[in-house]
Amino acid sequence: MRKVLVTGGAGYIGSHTVVALIERGFEVVVVDNFCNSSPLVLPRMAEITGVEPQVVEADLLDRSALDDLFSVHQFDAVVHFAGLKAVGESVQNPLLYYKNNVAGSLNLFAAMQAHICLNLVFSSSATVYGDPDSVPIKEDFRLSPTNPYGRTKLMVEEILADLGNANPQWRIALLRYFNPVGAHPSGSIGEMPNGTPNNLMPYITQVAAGTLQQLSVFGDDYPTKDGTGVRDYIHVMDLAAAHLAALLKLPQQETSVRAYNIGTGVGYSVLQMIDAFETESGVNIPYTITNRRPGDIAECYADCERSKRELGWRAHRDLVEMMRDQWRWQSLNPQGYR
Ligand code: NAD
Ligand code: UFG
């Protein structure tokens, strides 16, 4: 493995993974349409690594642009991040999600097949499990996503399973991420959501920065340790390392398609997250308890034994690092990359 195409490599998780790949000596080409990212991330990546990745501005819906890309470059593997990820938006506009995430992926896989590039790491999500019967969640649990976004992830997983059946030469790792948070420790790359954040951590840091007034805690009557929702938060640097591990392992992967949970195995409640942030930053987070957010589940955390055993990967960074790095990024870049 030497040359890798990273779709969505300008985005939050993609940019951290591109940095990890470059630092490991891979030649990286990014394809991104910048629909949810900024080209200004590129010089930041170069600042960290000393190498500016090659970038092609293109949409995965443009099949001929993908064919051109595969004709110019001989890729050993693809890491496929490009997709839309806002659950609420997917409920409002399902066609946009099915088109972008499913049709875009189909174009990519068709180009890969045509150019005989059969190694793939795919960004799936813990959302494919829906509301699990028990925790921690194992990879062989029932898959039943509860919203269109989650269904796009499951559909792509199923398409990939069929591809692997049709041609056992494919080597495909499905990485089911739990809740990515944090930023590069340099503070120069991170996530800056457009508009008001949907996710807990960017919401907390924007309240801390004074951009937002207070946090709404969505329900305190769940059957959890303190009544608030419990999630498996994972540092984005650990997540980037998981992609590297999966990529390096692909040639030895025993089956053509394999799913891996990528989390820490530990669940924290919303109140624990607020407390950890306040302790680390010294900034108070005003909050009120409001109604549950429709579609939310009580508890979600991973059993990560398979990734430990088969990928030789595990998360190393704790809550303190997640808080510190997220806050550093927010403080240094109040306007994101602008
Ligand atoms: P992101 O929005 O920051 O990155 C996605 C990137 O893909 C963006 O740069 C965007 O411009 C690009 N993109 C989207 N559609 C495209 C298209 N049709 N053609 C070309 N580029 C396109 O999101 P992220 O948080 O980095 O997530 C990366 C992947 O991980 C996504 O597939 C997401 O569904 C998945 N995921 C994210 C989370 C999370 O909480 N962040 C959790 C589980 C899974
Ligand atoms: N929460 C609040 N207030 C907020 C935002 C969130 O109390 O303003 C709570 C939620 O109710 C939940 C927890 O904080 O209990 C985490 O919520 P997030 O929105 O940060 O994350 P989710 O677990 O709901 O979903 C995320 C991604 C999904 C992905 C899923 C699993 O947004 O796309 O993780 O990977 F599918």
Side-chain angles (χ1 to χ4, degrees), residues 5-330:
L5 176 67
V6 181
T7 77
Y12 172 44
I13 306 169
S15 58
H16 290 80
T17 303
V18 167
V19 164
L21 291 172
I22 292 175
E23 285 175 341
R24 187 58 186 252
F26 283 93
E27 188 182 342
V28 177
V29 178
V30 168
V31 60
D32 203 302
N33 65 0
F34 301 111
C35 68
N36 196 36
S37 54
S38 163
L40 296 175
V41 69
L42 303 166
R44 302 286 186 97
M45 293 195 232
E47 231 172 71
I48 298 170
T49 62
V51 179
E52 185 149 335
Q54 292 181 63
V55 179
V56 175
E57 182 171 353
D59 195 310
L60 295 195
L61 292 171
D62 181 352
R63 173 68 206 273
S64 68
L66 292 178
D67 275 325
D68 290 349
L69 199 55
F70 280 89
S71 304
V72 173
H73 301 275
Q74 188 122 37
F75 295 115
D76 298 306
V78 175
V79 184
H80 177 31
F81 292 102
L84 299 173
K85 61 167 183 175
V87 172
E89 185 184 49
S90 80
V91 174
Q92 300 302 321
N93 197 350
L95 290 181
L96 175 70
Y97 274 67
Y98 290 117
K99 188 169 181 189
N100 195 73
N101 293 6
V102 181
S105 296
L106 280 176
N107 274 344
L108 174 69
F109 307 152
M112 290 177 73
Q113 182 169 274
H115 296 269
I116 317 175
C117 170
L118 303 181
N119 294 312
L120 173 71
V121 178
F122 171 61
S123 294
S124 188
S125 168
T127 196
V128 295
Y129 297 112
D131 194 353
D133 295 329
S134 62
V135 279
I137 298 170
K138 290 189 178 189
E139 286 86 348
D140 59 4
F141 274 26
R142 184 175 45 88
L143 303 178
S144 67
T146 56
N147 55 68
Y149 163 68
R151 280 186 280 276
T152 67
K153 290 292 170 192
L154 181 55
M155 284 176 188
V156 174
E157 285 202 5
E158 288 174 336
I159 290 166
L160 290 172
D162 289 339
L163 272 183
N165 276 335
N167 179 357
Q169 286 184 334
W170 278 93
R171 282 293 168 275
I172 299 167
L174 312 172
L175 302 191
R176 296 180 182 151
Y177 318 150
F178 281 66
N179 289 57
V181 296
H184 193 274
S186 64
S188 48
I189 59 173
E191 184 182 35
M192 192 55 66
N194 283 327
T196 308
N198 296 311
N199 296 117
L200 180 64
M201 270 318 296
Y203 207 106
I204 289 179
T205 53
Q206 290 195 22
V207 170
T211 314
L212 297 169
Q213 269 196 326
Q214 64 169 6
L215 174 72
S216 297
V217 174
F218 298 143
D220 66 350
D221 57 351
Y222 285 105
T224 58
K225 45 189 130 188
D226 58 21
T228 65
V230 167
R231 297 289 183 275
D232 186 338
Y233 297 93
I234 174 167
H235 198 299
V236 67
M237 296 293 288
D238 281 326
L239 199 48
H243 289 81
L244 197 56
L247 201 55
L248 293 171
K249 193 70 194 201
L250 274 184
Q252 290 95 46
Q253 189 172 285
E254 283 181 10
T255 50
S256 48
V257 183
R258 191 75 168 149
Y260 300 97
N261 282 343
I262 305 295
T264 64
V266 184
Y268 290 104
S269 73
V270 177
L271 296 182
Q272 285 179 307
M273 295 297 282
I274 297 172
D275 187 56
F277 181 81
E278 290 182 335
T279 305
E280 179 51 34
S281 66
V283 182
N284 179 51
I285 301 297
Y287 69 86
T288 51
I289 308 287
T290 64
N291 288 337
R292 291 180 178 193
R293 181 170 62 179
D296 270 0
I297 57 175
E299 234 176 348
C300 173
Y301 56 92
D303 179 316
C304 301
E305 285 311 309
R306 182 185 288 179
S307 342
K308 273 187 206 157
R309 202 174 51 245
E310 297 182 18
L311 301 179
W313 168 90
R314 69 182 182 83
H316 291 283
R317 292 163 179 84
D318 62 12
L319 218 47
V320 172
E321 276 178 274
M322 298 183 208
M323 299 299 163
R324 188 173 59 212
D325 292 335
Q326 181 108 22
W327 183 224
R328 185 187 294 109
W329 155 253
Q330 169 74 48

